[in-house]
Amino acid sequence: MTADVVAVGAGPFNLALAALADGVPGLRVVVLEQQPEFRWHPGLLIEGATVQVPFLADLVTLVEPTSRWSFLSYLRAHGRLFPFYFAERFHVARAEYEAYCRWVAEGLGVCRFGERVTSVAVDQDGLFLVNGLRTRHLVLGVGTEPVLPEPLRGLPGVLHSADYLAHRAALLGTPHVTVVGSGQSGAEVFLDLLRRGHPGLRWLSRTPAFAPMEYSKLGLEQFTPDYTAFFRTLPAAVRDRLVPAQWQLYKGVSAETLGAIHDELYERSLAGGWPAPALHPGVAVTGAAVADGRLALSVRHVQQGTAGTLLTDAVVAATGYAERPLAGVLGPLAAAVATDDRGRPQVDEAYRLTLHRPAAGSVFVQNAERHTHGVGAPDLGLAAWRAAVIVNAVCGRAAYPLPDRTAFTTFGLGEEAT
């Protein structure tokens, strides 16, 4: 069987690719996914939690708003346009976003679930061979995986926030729980346990404050294709320094969530006295051990320079995710991928990997290019745009015309500078 494109990983980014490809006559895309069905961060589909981008940042709308795979089309198909209209929700629930993506995955009919890809070969015609498929182009959207800091690995009672919902009932029966990590996931876990009346809660953050996510209108223009193009012009050393410095663009907490936490704590103070939950910014976990059946966390206050030990019974580590190595999918072909001086893949402006060996087509990546394209790489708001860029590159023409400008901000000096 031959396809024009084989996409590995059925997450939102490759679903965006498949949805846009569906609007290009004759373009055949097959999506392979190792999981038995579509799931999107199932451990964090907490009641009331919303997607951090507006509903217009669905799989297709910012490129092709008339697509039958838009979020509004999903609502129409389920008879829910009027309820959504009256709800006046710009940010939809995570569970609803997952249901929308599942509707697209099932409706497209191009997703093959339960198929794990561990190796890619190249045949005599230069075509890629993947799980019995021959394809001219390959798109890798294999996503990220949860990361536990070294001090917390292998200890009983420690779980990543990605697995929170599966363990929530057990955590509610645990005398004391410590949430580690000051991003949105950590805040949502802390808030959920707080709302459910957990008697013993602590929230630790290495950052100096429980800081809000950058959500100003001009600030958000750093998630535009204009900023991506500017970021690509910077020297690699500058890019590597810049991304961590932009942490509030992607590691902060929504102002609404921070407000909800404060409201919950304030309600507990109405009866007099301070509420029991403890919040500690500026505290890093440097070690952990089991002591008398409890977890002993070695901690250091970043600003004070002081250190100590905190006891708890369970830890929910909202400590982020790391890009999955491409070698786990490409197999021997990974040796043909050109890398930078830090071993990261070289990715061009069309999200195409540079290969050392000839092939009839290209290998593209989705959400493996933060080091070359900036903080927008994992952002859902750029999903449709990136997918359209890849579709256009595959077609060799502008199947989806894209605007020349997307931001009011001029990144860099601009043409008027002399």
Side-chain angles (χ1 to χ4, degrees):
M1 179 178 176
T2 302
D4 297 302
V5 179
V6 168
V8 181
F13 297 144
N14 273 345
L15 285 183
L17 177 82
L20 289 176
D22 184 61
V24 181
L27 182 60
R28 177 168 173 73
V29 174
V30 177
V31 182
L32 304 179
E33 168 58 50
Q34 65 177 344
Q35 298 299 324
E37 61 181 354
F38 178 84
R39 298 303 307 271
W40 184 71
H41 298 299
L44 286 170
L45 299 181
I46 300 169
E47 298 87 338
T50 61
V51 180
Q52 297 304 301
V53 292
F55 74 90
L56 292 173
D58 60 16
L59 303 178
V60 293
T61 293
L62 290 177
V63 166
E64 182 46 85
T66 63
S67 169
R68 62 179 178 140
W69 302 116
S70 70
F71 180 73
L72 291 180
S73 294
Y74 159 78
L75 293 175
R76 180 181 62 185
H78 289 79
R80 297 181 56 240
L81 268 174
F82 270 90
F84 182 75
Y85 165 61
F86 290 121
E88 297 185 349
R89 291 182 179 178
F90 205 45
H91 294 82
V92 302
R94 282 189 189 163
E96 186 171 26
Y97 179 80
E98 187 200 41
Y100 156 64
C101 288
R102 187 181 303 113
W103 174 76
V104 174
E106 294 171 353
L108 283 169
V110 300
C111 297
R112 289 167 40 172
F113 291 96
E115 289 210 25
R116 184 181 181 187
V117 177
T118 60
S119 184
V120 177
V122 180
D123 69 10
Q124 68 277 6
D125 298 319
L127 298 178
F128 299 110
L129 302 177
V130 190
N131 287 28
L133 295 168
R134 299 176 78 233
T135 182
R136 182 174 296 275
H137 301 287
L138 189 65
V139 182
L140 307 180
V142 294
T144 57
E145 55 191 1
V147 173
L148 281 176
E150 181 62 39
L152 297 175
R153 294 176 190 169
L155 291 176
V158 175
L159 66 130
H160 194 276
S161 58
D163 300 315
Y164 169 66
L165 280 184
H167 297 270
R168 182 170 64 184
L171 289 169
L172 289 172
T174 302
H176 193 277
V177 176
T178 297
V179 179
V180 177
S182 62
Q184 184 68 23
S185 296
E188 288 174 350
V189 169
F190 183 79
L191 176 60
D192 189 57
L193 292 173
L194 189 63
R195 283 174 167 168
R196 293 172 185 279
H198 197 290
L201 283 177
R202 181 190 295 124
W203 187 15
L204 303 180
S205 161
R206 185 171 53 185
T207 57
F210 295 108
M213 190 176 297
E214 170 58 73
Y215 211 74
S216 65
K217 294 176 182 179
L218 285 178
L220 288 178
E221 288 196 339
Q222 291 172 90
F223 293 104
T224 60
D226 282 10
Y227 182 78
T228 300
F230 162 74
F231 186 86
R232 283 191 48 76
T233 68
L234 300 175
V238 176
R239 296 198 301 257
D240 288 343
R241 291 195 301 268
L242 184 55
V243 170
Q246 296 172 312
W247 64 272
Q248 273 189 263
L249 288 171
Y250 58 97
K251 288 187 177 180
V253 183
S254 74
E256 291 79 8
T257 305
L258 290 175
I261 291 172
H262 190 277
D263 290 346
E264 289 291 328
L265 295 171
Y266 182 78
E267 288 293 322
R268 284 159 176 72
S269 72
L270 295 181
W274 291 94
L279 292 76
H280 297 278
V283 174
V285 177
T286 59
V290 177
D292 297 325
R294 305 192 75 194
L295 288 166
L297 304 180
S298 300
V299 295
R300 177 177 59 84
H301 196 283
V302 179
Q303 295 165 320
Q304 284 183 326
T306 52
T309 300
L310 296 174
L311 295 177
T312 192
D313 298 298
V315 170
V316 181
T319 45
Y321 300 78
E323 296 168 0
R324 287 191 173 94
L326 300 182
V329 174
L330 294 176
L333 185 62
V337 177
T339 59
D340 63 15
D341 57 4
R342 294 177 58 178
R344 299 171 299 191
Q346 294 182 13
V347 187
D348 72 9
E349 68 280 358
Y351 304 94
R352 183 190 293 110
L353 297 180
T354 300
L355 299 179
H356 290 309
R357 62 176 299 178
S362 301
V363 179
F364 300 89
V365 292
Q366 302 217 65
N367 194 15
E369 72 286 354
R370 185 182 295 182
H371 60 292
T372 57
H373 287 65
V375 294
D379 190 76
L380 292 174
L382 282 172
W385 174 281
R386 178 174 50 201
V389 170
I390 295 173
V391 168
N392 289 348
V394 166
C395 293
R397 60 182 176 86
Y400 288 100
L402 298 173
D404 295 327
R405 186 168 181 178
T406 55
F408 291 120
T409 305
T410 298
F411 300 103
L413 281 179
E415 297 178 358
E416 68 274 15
T418 59

